[in-house]
């Protein structure tokens, strides 16, 4: 299946920083998707599905966190970007949504990464039925 | 970006069931990825990234849970499959991992859905450094 970037990450980060948690990123959506962001600012966090677009390596087993002291596990038992499909999935703090730009904190994606999707965390969803006006008879 | 299915969902479900939580699914991985599942059975849950492969519609706004009483929100403020990239992301209960088959419960994917990735939930990860034998001098 082919996926297109609905947004790009803008954060100026080109090398692994000391602490991704402190990184603020702007997800700049294609204008055609702006309407899809309606109500997206309601949540405290947001799942971001993005591409590890600089990663070319695929490994079946890895030392988690590139720590050679941690025994090797399968790549599917880890979050290593060396997975067959280079898809990252991170729950970031949602700062704000303005127009076509979603600003988040704590996203571990390099500058220019394609964003495929964002989703609200299940546990923060609290849709409520609107009160409907009663029909007068 | 192009993503290939690393596994397919086998659960016989072709119509929306009453309760997805009760559905048991087998994720049958391509044999070449079996090694990548090493240690994947350690966790109690697993995130499954899969394709809404039967969905053709894209909508920018939706009534969540197809409930007309709930006011419309942007598709990115919902989990609707009518999103631009048809990627589902569900935390399912992990039953077992055997060879190239991962058995899960509570995955809301139809039979035959492509699986792009599975990842352990962050909060269940507890990698520990192995105790290394001291070098004798």
């Amino acid at each position: 299946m082919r996926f297109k970037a609905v947004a790009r990450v803008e954060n100026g980060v080109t090398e692994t920083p000391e602490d991704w948690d402190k990184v603020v990123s702007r997800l700049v959506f294609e204008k055609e998707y702006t309407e899809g962001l309606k109500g997206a600012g309601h949540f405290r966090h947001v799942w971001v599905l993005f591409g590890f677009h600089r990663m070319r390596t695929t490994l079946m087993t890895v030392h988690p966190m590139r720590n050679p002291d941690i025994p090797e596990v399968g790549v599917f038992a880890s979050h290593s970007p060396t997975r067959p499909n280079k898809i990252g999935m991170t729950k970031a703090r949602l700062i704000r949504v303005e127009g076509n730009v979603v600003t988040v904190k704590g996203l571990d994606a390099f500058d220019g990464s394609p964003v495929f999707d964002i989703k609200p965390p299940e546990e923060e969803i609290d849709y409520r039925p609107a009160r409907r006006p009663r029909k007068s008879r």
Side-chain angles (χ1 to χ4, degrees), chain A residues 8 15 24 26-27 30 36 38 64-65 68 75 111 121 129 131:
Chain A
R8 292 273 166 191
E15 299 296 328
V24 172
R26 301 170 75 238
L27 316 182
E30 300 289 333
K38 181 184 172 185
M65 294 165 282
V75 71
D111 193 56
R131 200 168 295 203

Side-chain angles (χ1 to χ4, degrees), chain A residues 34-103:
Chain A
T34 304
E35 201 193 345
L37 295 172
K38 181 184 172 185
H42 169 74
F43 304 97
R44 285 175 296 115
H45 298 86
V46 61
W47 282 106
V48 182
L49 294 180
F50 62 99
F52 298 123
H53 68 310
R54 310 197 317 189
M55 176 56 66
R56 294 286 172 270
T57 311
T58 300
L59 298 170
M60 280 302 109
T61 59
V62 297
H63 290 285
M65 294 165 282
R66 290 190 242 171
N67 182 343
D69 291 349
I70 301 180
E72 277 192 327
V73 298
V75 71
F76 295 119
S78 86
H79 283 227
S80 168
T82 59
R83 43 211 325 112
N85 290 313
K86 314 294 184 219
I87 312 175
M89 180 190 112
T90 295
K91 187 159 85 170
R93 205 123 63 78
L94 181 62
I95 309 290
R96 79 181 75 85
V97 178
E98 270 178 345
N100 67 321
V101 180
V102 176
T103 306

Side-chain angles (χ1 to χ4, degrees), chain A residues 15 29-30 33 55 61 85 89 108 112-113 115-116 137:
Chain A
E15 299 296 328
F29 278 69
E30 300 289 333
Y33 301 122
M55 176 56 66
T61 59
N85 290 313
M89 180 190 112
D108 52 335
S113 299
V115 175
F116 301 115
R137 305 191 188 213

